[in-house]
Amino acid sequence: MGELSAKLKPAIFLDRDGTLNEEVDFLCDPEQLVLVPGAAGAVARLNARGIPVVVVTNQSGIGRGRYGWQDFAAVMSRMGTLLALENARIDAVYASPHHEHALGEYAVADHPERKPNPGMLLRAAEEHGLDLTRSWMVGDKGIDLEAGRRAGCQVALVRTGYGSRVDGSTADLVAESLPEAIDWILARWP
């Protein structure tokens, strides 16, 4: 067991909307995607250190039929283009379309992968050999903090997006933005 855990890498898990990019309700148009100022540079600093960057995002708009997986892919493609301008990249993306008001198979109120449940983080850890106990979850909502905590990660709240309205008392770190959070985490990285 000790030998196996020594091979696992810590990662940075990022919420998407309100954390990595500006908050837009039901973002499905790539033209509406605007990165949080300094976010691409923050991701590039993680990339330069060889730290996996994983996006974990609830996407109930897909489940509710407001937009489709192709729209989600187009937004993520645009994000990839914007990040690449600063030599940054996302290593993996996990999205949960589940919601109590969703349609069909996605109509699950408490799906294991829908934050605040830790399913997306647990799946990413299994699929990419990540050590959750040495990883961070960064987000702008209480559900991000709870998902990270339940997965065994340290958690950071950013005050962008909905973060200005969230009680940060349960967070290991409260930062004004993703770049500030990443700088703080990197200064103390294992």
Side-chain angles (χ1 to χ4, degrees):
M1 179 69 174
E3 192 176 310
L4 176 62
S5 65
K7 295 179 182 179
L8 300 178
K9 293 181 71 164
I12 300 292
F13 293 93
L14 301 175
D15 172 55
R16 191 186 79 171
D17 303 323
T19 301
L20 190 53
N21 58 272
E22 300 288 341
E23 179 63 42
V24 174
D25 282 340
F26 299 107
L27 176 61
C28 60
D29 178 355
E31 295 304 312
Q32 290 186 309
L33 176 73
V34 176
L35 294 177
V36 166
V43 172
R45 290 191 293 282
L46 294 169
N47 297 152
R49 296 272 296 266
I51 299 166
V53 179
V54 180
V55 169
V56 288
T57 178
N58 285 348
Q59 292 293 316
S60 71
I62 294 171
R64 295 177 198 212
R66 295 185 81 156
Y67 55 90
W69 285 108
Q70 287 182 322
D71 301 305
F72 176 76
V75 169
M76 293 310 299
S77 176
R78 173 76 175 146
M79 179 177 284
T81 299
L82 294 175
L83 290 170
L85 294 174
E86 294 195 42
N87 296 313
R89 73 180 184 293
I90 301 298
D91 295 298
V93 177
Y94 292 83
S96 173
H98 305 91
H99 190 274
E100 62 188 16
H101 300 298
L103 309 170
E105 67 182 303
Y106 297 139
V108 181
D110 193 32
H111 193 278
E113 292 205 353
R114 180 172 174 76
K115 293 180 289 184
N117 293 322
M120 288 187 283
L121 288 86
L122 298 174
R123 187 159 56 103
E126 183 178 320
E127 292 176 359
H128 299 282
L130 305 175
D131 182 349
L132 293 169
T133 64
R134 295 187 301 143
S135 296
W136 282 82
M137 172 70 211
V138 183
D140 69 319
K141 295 181 182 171
I143 60 171
D144 299 319
L145 302 180
E146 187 176 341
R149 216 26 111 213
R150 290 171 67 185
C153 300
Q154 295 179 82
V155 296
L157 174 69
V158 292
R159 294 293 187 193
T160 51
Y162 293 107
S164 63
R165 296 180 262 172
V166 175
D167 175 8
S169 64
T170 63
D172 297 300
L173 167 65
V174 177
E176 289 305 309
S177 65
L178 180 61
E180 182 180 303
I182 296 307
D183 287 345
W184 191 93
I185 292 167
L186 285 176
R188 293 152 185 86
W189 193 253

